[in-house]
Amino acid sequence: MTTAADIAEIYIAAWNDTDAAARRAMIADTWTGDAVYVDPLAAVEGHAGVDALIAGVQERFPGFRFALIGEPDGHGDHVRFSWGLGPDGVTDAPIKGTDYVRVEDGRLKTVTGFLDQVPG
């Protein structure tokens, strides 16, 4: 993971991977062991916490997929990108957010997420 686009794409790929074993392996490869994820609805730590969070979102929104919105950007060890979550194939996702990521040694260290649009 070297560019902002690479970091955002692998992050989104983990959220979309419904194969639990493959997702856990991806998280182990791309997140630090002491990684922290926080957004308005959740706060988790470590690989197991991230995996459980992703599995929970997949269970709550079956058939939904994450997709990048626009181009990720960043500087130094910091990356930001926007995403949409909706049924596979929709062009305007009902849920949208922006995440700010800090990378350490090429791996995700902290993610701070913001929800930009949620259904009423």
Side-chain angles (χ1 to χ4, degrees), residues 3-116:
T3 69
D6 292 338
I7 292 164
E9 287 172 14
I10 195 69
Y11 174 85
I12 294 295
W15 282 89
N16 285 333
D17 197 336
T18 57
D19 179 319
R23 183 181 60 245
R24 283 192 292 273
M26 185 183 308
I27 290 167
D29 287 343
T30 59
W31 292 69
T32 64
D34 61 347
V36 174
Y37 174 97
V38 62
D39 70 21
L41 303 174
V44 299
E45 295 182 23
H47 295 166
V50 171
D51 180 57
L53 176 63
I54 292 171
V57 170
Q58 290 176 354
E59 183 178 313
R60 182 167 180 198
F61 299 101
F64 278 38
R65 308 260 311 152
F66 283 87
L68 289 173
I69 298 173
E71 295 294 322
D73 66 346
H75 58 85
D77 291 337
H78 303 274
V79 176
R80 83 174 162 185
F81 53 88
S82 295
W83 49 264
L85 174 63
D88 198 15
V90 299
T91 56
D92 189 23
I95 304 168
K96 296 177 183 170
T98 301
D99 288 352
Y100 296 88
V101 176
R102 188 168 66 82
V103 178
E104 181 178 272
D105 297 326
R107 299 170 78 198
L108 299 163
K109 173 74 172 175
T110 62
V111 176
T112 304
F114 293 86
L115 299 174
D116 302 329

